[in-house]
Amino acid sequence: MIVAQEFLKTMDIFKATVLYLTVVTFAIVDGQSYRAGVVLYKPNPSIYATPDEQLKDNLNLTVQIMNANKNESDIFILPEYALTNIKAEFESARVLKSFSVNIGKVGDMLCTTNGTVSEQNLAILACAAKNNYYIVANLIEEDNNTYFSTDIVIDPNGVLNSKCRKYHIVNGTNFERGPSANPCTFTATFQNQSVVFALLYGTDLVYGIPDASKSDNVIVTAATKNNLPLNISVSLSQGFAISNGVNLIVADYNDVELNYGGSGVFYSNGTSVIAFNAANVPNGNAIGGILIKEIPIKPMSSSSIINVKSTIFGEIPKMNLEYINLPTTFNQTIVEGKHCIDKRCCNFKAELSADSIAPYQWIILQNKTNILTQEADIFFCGLVVSSASSPKLTFKNLTISVDDKQPDVAQTLPIALNQNFLPTNFQFNKVARTITFDKENNIVVLFGIMEILGSPNIGTNTAFIVIIVLLVLALVALLVAFLVWRKRQAKNRRNF
């Protein structure tokens, strides 16, 4: 048994290594790439330390981890709440204050030997970055007794390059929203190559990338909890990268025992490398580790048909997921069929050695529902097991397609999870909006397509054009009114 386990571990490392080398080869051939390090850090629980001491302790340990890998990565990304010992979305304003810092303004030199305790804590990060690498970190920011979940970017000069306040806030939080129109982007320079990054939070995956923040490279800091059937952060991350055609780097809160986590790099061509536990990445331990990947500056091109392949780094985590029931308009256990809601239709077919797919159900939903605690208007076609504890079936083939040509689809996210509630391999046709696999002995708990409905964000150029059109129409209306008035005046003069 022990030999078998060791063999499986070796195979996991082998597969991850092969995948890594494949990605690196593509990047080197292209000649333009950068190295990203996703920090998996579990806050150090010290019940005797003050919040300032806890924060300082976490900062120092994180810096040790990054410095141990400073020659291997150009940019390090820390998860949301990684530097505190709290689940901040559930905490009171008093607790938020105890862990908060005053960040300052973009352009400030943060690497300094002077200043308040708050400024000294920031200096620990900034001085580590100086002459070494970029850091993206999440902090609790205080500004006039108001608290924000804020991402900061520190550049290799030790300067605050950018800061971004979270806008899509988790329900029940004491955080204030950041400005909705704030384009959270920053530019980093690696080996004389400039890379523009969009900076998002886990909850932003539901809404997509704002027009003002469009970029080929997206960084997400997250603290998202995995639940069935749709709140599976890793699967949403995978679908997001495919749907938006971006390199997606996700640093998620590291606590698999509470069903948090799923950090990794998700490529536009469907390839992804995911880690749940810091001890499972190279040179990692129970406290922290770093998943480092080579990423091409320009996302890898792919055809409309994408072969999705996921690799989990290290041991498969054991998650005890809660099951959230969906309010559905259609649920059946037939093997094949089609169902429509208004002009939106789902086509589905399953092949298995049984007459029914029970305890699975086809779920068709067009409704507002919560995804990652965010209300979204969605259309979902999928196969879902009825509960997390239900027996699982083996499928020979599964095919689901969304048959609609509606203009209000903001994102189309393919979702597929195996019996371990982790991403599985499948094929996705972006044009035909079809998800399928046709390999023997496949077991899934969730398989389908989720469309986020809603008109895409109006960008600056589009808004400007709309304003110009409205002005032209107003001028035309005034001209017509003037001509009508002139005509009436001339007629009145003739009659007089």
Side-chain angles (χ1 to χ4, degrees):
M1 184 68 178
I2 295 174
V3 173
Q5 289 176 345
E6 290 299 322
F7 175 75
L8 290 175
K9 289 182 181 179
T10 303
M11 289 301 294
D12 283 340
I13 295 173
F14 174 76
K15 287 190 293 184
T17 302
V18 170
L19 179 59
Y20 172 78
L21 290 175
T22 302
V23 172
V24 170
T25 300
F26 278 119
I28 291 174
V29 169
D30 185 61
Q32 296 183 341
S33 65
Y34 61 92
R35 301 166 301 170
V38 180
V39 180
L40 288 86
Y41 176 70
K42 192 166 186 177
N44 183 32
S46 177
I47 61 174
Y48 302 107
T50 66
D52 279 332
E53 289 171 341
Q54 292 179 55
L55 185 59
K56 186 174 182 179
D57 188 35
N58 290 332
L59 283 164
N60 282 323
L61 285 171
T62 302
V63 166
Q64 288 178 24
I65 296 168
M66 291 188 293
N67 281 341
N69 296 272
K70 67 180 181 181
N71 295 324
E72 308 298 325
S73 183
D74 304 305
I75 182 169
F76 290 102
I77 301 98
L78 279 66
E80 194 172 7
Y81 310 139
L83 298 173
T84 65
N85 297 339
I86 60 175
K87 303 293 190 303
E89 66 266 33
F90 305 118
E91 299 294 344
S92 66
R94 180 181 59 81
V95 175
L96 294 184
K97 180 178 178 62
S98 66
F99 281 95
S100 65
V101 297
N102 190 330
I103 293 173
K105 304 185 299 297
V106 172
D108 286 353
M109 166 58 74
L110 300 183
C111 180
T112 176
T113 57
N114 301 313
T116 64
V117 172
S118 177
E119 291 168 335
Q120 286 302 295
N121 282 336
L122 275 177
I124 294 173
L125 278 180
C127 294
K130 193 171 183 180
N131 300 321
N132 289 310
Y133 40 70
Y134 288 84
I135 297 176
V136 178
N138 178 260
L139 295 165
I140 298 173
E141 179 188 11
E142 180 182 7
D143 188 357
N144 293 323
N145 293 318
T146 303
Y147 303 98
F148 302 90
S149 177
T150 300
D151 280 355
I152 64 170
V153 181
I154 303 174
D155 67 22
N157 294 314
V159 170
L160 182 62
N161 175 291
S162 177
K163 76 174 182 177
C164 178
R165 291 170 171 173
K166 187 175 183 178
Y167 177 74
H168 295 119
I169 299 294
V170 173
N171 295 342
T173 183
N174 281 290
F175 283 121
E176 193 70 23
R177 293 179 183 272
S180 60
N182 181 26
C184 292
T185 61
F186 70 95
T187 301
T189 302
F190 309 120
Q191 313 271 313
N192 296 321
Q193 297 290 337
S194 293
V195 183
V196 177
F197 288 95
L199 196 57
L200 304 179
Y201 293 82
T203 47
D204 295 330
L205 294 178
V206 179
Y207 302 100
I209 309 173
D211 283 351
S213 302
K214 288 292 185 184
S215 174
D216 289 334
N217 295 271
V218 180
I219 290 174
V220 172
T221 60
T224 52
K225 191 172 184 178
N226 294 303
N227 290 313
L228 282 173
L230 295 182
N231 281 8
I232 306 293
S233 60
V234 285
S235 191
L236 290 177
S237 297
Q238 187 176 65
F240 186 96
I242 295 169
S243 178
N244 292 278
V246 296
N247 296 319
L248 182 67
I249 309 165
V250 179
D252 211 330
Y253 191 86
N254 182 20
D255 196 338
V256 72
E257 293 178 1
L258 296 178
N259 300 324
Y260 284 87
S263 299
V265 177
F266 303 83
Y267 297 91
S268 60
N269 68 344
T271 300
S272 59
V273 182
I274 305 164
F276 281 84
N277 196 320
N280 291 330
V281 298
N283 302 316
N285 54 46
I287 296 175
I290 298 182
L291 179 65
I292 299 175
K293 289 294 150 194
E294 188 96 4
I295 301 175
I297 294 175
K298 192 70 177 172
M300 294 180 232
S301 60
S302 59
S303 64
S304 61
I305 299 177
I306 299 174
N307 292 307
V308 178
K309 296 181 179 179
S310 303
T311 298
I312 308 297
F313 219 108
E315 295 181 4
I316 295 175
K318 295 179 180 178
M319 291 190 284
N320 182 25
L321 300 184
E322 299 175 10
Y323 192 89
I324 300 174
N325 291 320
L326 284 173
T328 62
T329 50
F330 176 88
N331 52 56
Q332 292 288 329
T333 56
I334 57 178
V335 173
E336 183 176 1
K338 179 176 182 176
H339 188 77
C340 300
I341 303 175
D342 297 330
K343 296 181 180 180
R344 304 182 195 275
C345 296
C346 296
N347 302 282
F348 44 85
K349 180 180 180 181
E351 293 182 22
L352 67 167
S353 54
D355 296 329
S356 171
I357 61 170
Y360 291 76
Q361 291 180 325
W362 297 114
I363 300 295
I364 299 174
L365 168 69
Q366 182 174 342
N367 205 344
K368 288 187 182 297
T369 190
N370 280 334
I371 311 293
L372 302 183
T373 74
Q374 305 299 300
E375 186 179 73
D377 195 2
I378 72 168
F379 180 63
F380 176 69
C381 299
L383 181 76
V384 180
V385 71
S386 57
S387 74
S389 59
S390 296
K392 312 302 186 292
L393 298 179
T394 300
F395 293 87
K396 296 180 181 179
N397 175 282
L398 273 179
T399 301
I400 298 174
S401 63
V402 178
D403 180 18
D404 74 62
K405 302 295 181 183
Q406 304 302 314
D408 61 342
V409 177
Q411 293 194 87
T412 299
L413 307 178
I415 300 175
L417 298 172
N418 62 20
Q419 69 270 32
N420 296 311
F421 314 114
L422 300 172
T424 188
N425 298 343
F426 61 90
Q427 188 178 88
F428 179 61
N429 189 318
K430 295 178 68 172
V431 175
R433 295 181 183 179
T434 300
I435 183 172
T436 185
F437 65 59
D438 56 4
K439 295 173 66 178
E440 295 284 343
N441 301 322
N442 268 311
I443 300 177
V444 294
V445 296
L446 176 64
F447 191 84
I449 297 174
M450 180 167 64
E451 292 192 327
I452 309 293
L453 306 182
S455 301
N457 295 322
I458 297 178
T460 304
N461 292 336
T462 306
F464 180 75
I465 292 171
V466 170
I467 292 170
I468 293 298
V469 170
L470 291 175
L471 287 174
V472 170
L473 290 175
L475 290 173
V476 169
L478 288 173
L479 179 61
V480 170
F482 176 75
L483 292 174
V484 170
W485 177 79
R486 284 284 302 270
K487 187 175 181 180
R488 287 178 178 173
Q489 289 292 96
K491 184 178 180 181
N492 290 337
R493 284 195 295 269
R494 287 196 302 271
N495 292 335
F496 182 79

